[in-house]
Amino acid sequence: MKKIIFLMMSMLLFQGCSSQIYVSPEALENMVNAKQLTFMAEKANSSNPDVINAANSIPTYSASQMMRLDYGYTLVLKKNSITAALPYFGRVYNANIYNTDKQGINFSSKDFTITQEQNKKGTYFLKITPRDVSHINVLHLEIYKNGKATLSVNAQDRQPISYDGYIMKNEETKK
Protein backbone atom coordinates (compact mmCIF):
# COMPACT_ATOMS: atom_id res chain seq x y z
CA MET A 1 0.00 0.00 0.00
CA LYS A 2 2.86 2.38 0.84
CA LYS A 3 4.45 1.65 -2.54
CA ILE A 4 1.25 2.52 -4.39
CA ILE A 5 0.87 5.81 -2.51
CA PHE A 6 4.55 6.63 -3.11
CA LEU A 7 4.19 5.81 -6.80
CA MET A 8 1.09 7.98 -7.18
CA MET A 9 2.70 10.91 -5.33
CA SER A 10 5.83 10.76 -7.48
CA MET A 11 3.73 10.64 -10.67
CA LEU A 12 1.84 13.76 -9.57
CA LEU A 13 5.11 15.49 -8.71
CA PHE A 14 6.70 14.74 -12.09
CA GLN A 15 3.54 15.71 -13.96
CA GLY A 16 3.51 19.09 -12.20
CA CYS A 17 7.19 19.67 -13.07
CA SER A 18 6.78 19.11 -16.80
CA SER A 19 7.20 22.18 -18.97
CA GLN A 20 4.13 23.66 -20.54
CA ILE A 21 4.10 23.91 -24.31
CA TYR A 22 2.33 27.04 -25.56
CA VAL A 23 2.70 26.35 -29.27
CA SER A 24 3.94 23.40 -31.32
CA PRO A 25 7.55 23.61 -32.57
CA GLU A 26 6.43 23.50 -36.21
CA ALA A 27 3.90 26.31 -35.76
CA LEU A 28 6.48 28.34 -33.82
CA GLU A 29 9.05 27.95 -36.59
CA ASN A 30 6.49 29.01 -39.21
CA MET A 31 5.45 32.09 -37.19
CA VAL A 32 9.04 33.20 -36.55
CA ASN A 33 10.19 32.68 -40.12
CA ALA A 34 7.13 34.50 -41.49
CA LYS A 35 7.61 37.27 -38.89
CA GLN A 36 3.90 36.99 -38.00
CA LEU A 37 3.37 36.48 -34.26
CA THR A 38 2.03 38.00 -31.07
CA PHE A 39 4.02 38.23 -27.84
CA MET A 40 1.61 38.12 -24.89
CA ALA A 41 3.22 39.62 -21.76
CA GLU A 42 2.49 37.93 -18.43
CA LYS A 43 5.05 39.60 -16.17
CA ALA A 44 7.07 42.83 -16.19
CA ASN A 45 10.64 42.85 -14.88
CA SER A 46 11.68 46.38 -13.95
CA SER A 47 15.38 47.19 -13.68
CA ASN A 48 14.68 50.13 -11.35
CA PRO A 49 15.38 49.28 -7.68
CA ASP A 50 13.00 52.06 -6.56
CA VAL A 51 10.06 50.29 -8.21
CA ILE A 52 11.01 46.97 -6.64
CA ASN A 53 11.46 48.54 -3.19
CA ALA A 54 8.13 50.35 -3.44
CA ALA A 55 6.36 47.14 -4.44
CA ASN A 56 7.99 45.22 -1.59
CA SER A 57 6.98 47.89 0.95
CA ILE A 58 3.25 47.20 0.45
CA PRO A 59 2.03 44.83 3.19
CA THR A 60 1.12 41.28 2.07
CA TYR A 61 2.54 41.86 -1.43
CA SER A 62 5.89 41.33 -3.06
CA ALA A 63 7.43 42.74 -6.21
CA SER A 64 6.89 39.42 -7.99
CA GLN A 65 3.15 39.63 -7.35
CA MET A 66 2.96 43.30 -8.27
CA MET A 67 4.58 42.82 -11.65
CA ARG A 68 2.14 40.17 -12.88
CA LEU A 69 0.15 41.60 -15.77
CA ASP A 70 -3.44 41.20 -16.86
CA TYR A 71 -4.30 39.62 -20.18
CA GLY A 72 -3.99 41.87 -23.22
CA TYR A 73 -0.53 43.48 -23.03
CA THR A 74 1.03 42.59 -26.37
CA LEU A 75 3.63 43.14 -29.02
CA VAL A 76 2.10 42.24 -32.40
CA LEU A 77 4.52 41.57 -35.24
CA LYS A 78 3.16 41.50 -38.77
CA LYS A 79 4.88 41.63 -42.15
CA ASN A 80 4.38 45.37 -42.55
CA SER A 81 3.89 46.63 -39.00
CA ILE A 82 4.70 46.33 -35.32
CA THR A 83 2.25 47.38 -32.63
CA ALA A 84 3.17 47.49 -28.94
CA ALA A 85 0.81 47.98 -26.02
CA LEU A 86 2.82 47.33 -22.85
CA PRO A 87 2.90 48.97 -19.41
CA TYR A 88 6.04 50.60 -18.07
CA PHE A 89 7.45 50.51 -14.52
CA GLY A 90 10.61 52.50 -14.01
CA ARG A 91 12.31 55.85 -14.35
CA VAL A 92 11.41 58.08 -17.28
CA TYR A 93 13.98 60.77 -18.05
CA ASN A 94 11.77 63.02 -20.21
CA ALA A 95 8.27 62.77 -18.78
CA ASN A 96 5.53 64.05 -21.04
CA ILE A 97 2.30 63.82 -19.09
CA TYR A 98 0.22 65.21 -21.96
CA ASN A 99 1.31 62.63 -24.53
CA THR A 100 -0.35 59.38 -23.41
CA ASP A 101 1.38 57.39 -26.18
CA LYS A 102 4.71 57.78 -24.37
CA GLN A 103 3.50 56.84 -20.87
CA GLY A 104 3.82 53.10 -21.44
CA ILE A 105 5.55 51.21 -24.23
CA ASN A 106 2.86 52.13 -26.78
CA PHE A 107 3.78 52.58 -30.41
CA SER A 108 3.10 51.50 -33.97
CA SER A 109 5.81 51.21 -36.58
CA LYS A 110 5.74 50.55 -40.29
CA ASP A 111 9.45 51.20 -40.90
CA PHE A 112 11.61 48.68 -39.03
CA THR A 113 14.33 46.07 -39.44
CA ILE A 114 14.43 42.58 -37.97
CA THR A 115 17.50 40.40 -37.62
CA GLN A 116 16.95 36.77 -36.68
CA GLU A 117 19.30 34.18 -35.21
CA GLN A 118 18.81 30.68 -33.80
CA ASN A 119 21.12 28.83 -31.44
CA LYS A 120 21.82 25.09 -31.27
CA LYS A 121 19.12 24.56 -28.63
CA GLY A 122 16.43 25.97 -30.92
CA THR A 123 16.02 29.35 -29.24
CA TYR A 124 15.22 32.21 -31.61
CA PHE A 125 16.64 35.70 -31.12
CA LEU A 126 14.89 38.57 -32.89
CA LYS A 127 16.36 42.07 -32.84
CA ILE A 128 13.72 44.59 -33.87
CA THR A 129 14.79 48.16 -34.63
CA PRO A 130 11.96 50.60 -35.38
CA ARG A 131 13.13 53.54 -37.48
CA ASP A 132 10.00 55.68 -37.29
CA VAL A 133 9.57 55.66 -33.49
CA SER A 134 11.75 58.30 -31.86
CA HIS A 135 11.75 57.04 -28.27
CA ILE A 136 12.35 53.27 -28.82
CA ASN A 137 15.89 52.20 -29.73
CA VAL A 138 15.67 48.41 -29.99
CA LEU A 139 13.54 45.44 -28.92
CA HIS A 140 15.12 42.04 -28.23
CA LEU A 141 12.73 39.09 -28.41
CA GLU A 142 14.05 35.74 -27.21
CA ILE A 143 11.72 32.84 -28.09
CA TYR A 144 12.19 29.38 -26.58
CA LYS A 145 11.19 26.04 -28.14
CA ASN A 146 8.06 25.66 -25.97
CA GLY A 147 6.66 29.08 -26.95
CA LYS A 148 7.77 31.00 -23.85
CA ALA A 149 9.49 34.29 -24.62
CA THR A 150 11.27 37.26 -23.09
CA LEU A 151 11.04 40.76 -24.54
CA SER A 152 13.61 43.43 -23.61
CA VAL A 153 12.93 47.06 -24.50
CA ASN A 154 15.69 49.67 -24.70
CA ALA A 155 14.33 53.18 -25.01
CA GLN A 156 15.96 56.55 -25.37
CA ASP A 157 14.00 58.33 -22.64
CA ARG A 158 13.68 55.66 -19.93
CA GLN A 159 15.38 52.79 -18.15
CA PRO A 160 15.30 49.36 -19.84
CA ILE A 161 12.51 46.94 -18.97
CA SER A 162 11.84 43.32 -19.87
CA TYR A 163 8.70 41.21 -20.03
CA ASP A 164 8.14 37.47 -19.68
CA GLY A 165 5.35 35.87 -21.63
CA TYR A 166 4.53 33.55 -24.49
CA ILE A 167 4.12 33.53 -28.26
CA MET A 168 0.81 32.98 -29.95
CA LYS A 169 -0.59 33.20 -33.45
CA ASN A 170 -1.84 36.60 -34.62
CA GLU A 171 -5.59 37.02 -34.35
CA GLU A 172 -7.41 36.97 -37.66
CA THR A 173 -9.05 40.29 -38.50
CA LYS A 174 -12.47 40.19 -40.10
CA LYS A 175 -12.88 42.31 -43.21
Side-chain angles (χ1 to χ4, degrees):
M1 184 66 168
K2 289 181 183 179
K3 288 182 181 181
I4 293 173
I5 292 173
F6 177 74
L7 183 61
M8 290 178 68
M9 293 297 282
S10 58
M11 285 176 49
L12 287 173
L13 177 69
F14 287 121
Q15 185 178 10
C17 293
S18 65
S19 66
Q20 184 175 0
I21 296 178
Y22 291 88
V23 65
S24 70
E26 297 84 19
L28 181 66
E29 183 178 359
N30 291 338
M31 285 188 281
V32 171
N33 289 335
K35 310 284 190 289
Q36 301 243 17
L37 54 91
T38 298
F39 169 76
M40 186 67 66
E42 293 180 307
K43 183 180 176 188
N45 304 310
S46 177
S47 63
N48 188 347
D50 294 335
V51 172
I52 296 167
N53 290 338
N56 285 330
S57 69
I58 298 172
T60 69
Y61 285 102
S62 70
S64 63
Q65 291 172 329
M66 292 292 291
M67 300 299 175
R68 294 231 174 259
L69 302 176
D70 291 335
Y71 183 83
Y73 292 110
T74 61
L75 174 79
V76 179
L77 180 61
K78 295 181 180 176
K79 282 189 182 216
N80 300 324
S81 68
I82 299 172
T83 306
L86 299 163
Y88 181 75
F89 305 98
R91 179 166 290 178
V92 177
Y93 302 121
N94 295 327
N96 188 348
I97 60 173
Y98 301 111
N99 188 352
T100 57
D101 287 343
K102 291 188 177 181
Q103 289 179 357
I105 306 292
N106 299 315
F107 69 90
S108 292
S109 175
K110 293 192 182 284
D111 184 18
F112 57 91
T113 59
I114 299 177
T115 57
Q116 176 182 334
E117 294 179 16
Q118 185 177 13
N119 69 7
K120 293 178 184 177
K121 294 182 180 180
T123 302
Y124 295 97
F125 300 96
L126 299 179
K127 180 182 176 185
I128 306 165
T129 309
R131 293 188 200 127
D132 57 350
V133 180
S134 62
H135 62 285
I136 302 296
N137 292 340
V138 67
L139 301 124
H140 294 278
L141 185 60
E142 186 173 352
I143 305 170
Y144 304 101
K145 289 190 302 188
N146 64 352
K148 289 289 274 181
T150 300
L151 174 68
S152 300
V153 180
N154 292 332
Q156 214 168 24
D157 61 346
R158 59 190 74 197
Q159 287 180 325
I161 189 168
S162 66
Y163 303 91
D164 295 333
Y166 58 93
I167 298 299
M168 58 185 254
K169 187 176 179 180
N170 287 347
E171 293 181 0
E172 299 292 326
T173 55
K174 295 181 180 178
K175 294 181 180 179

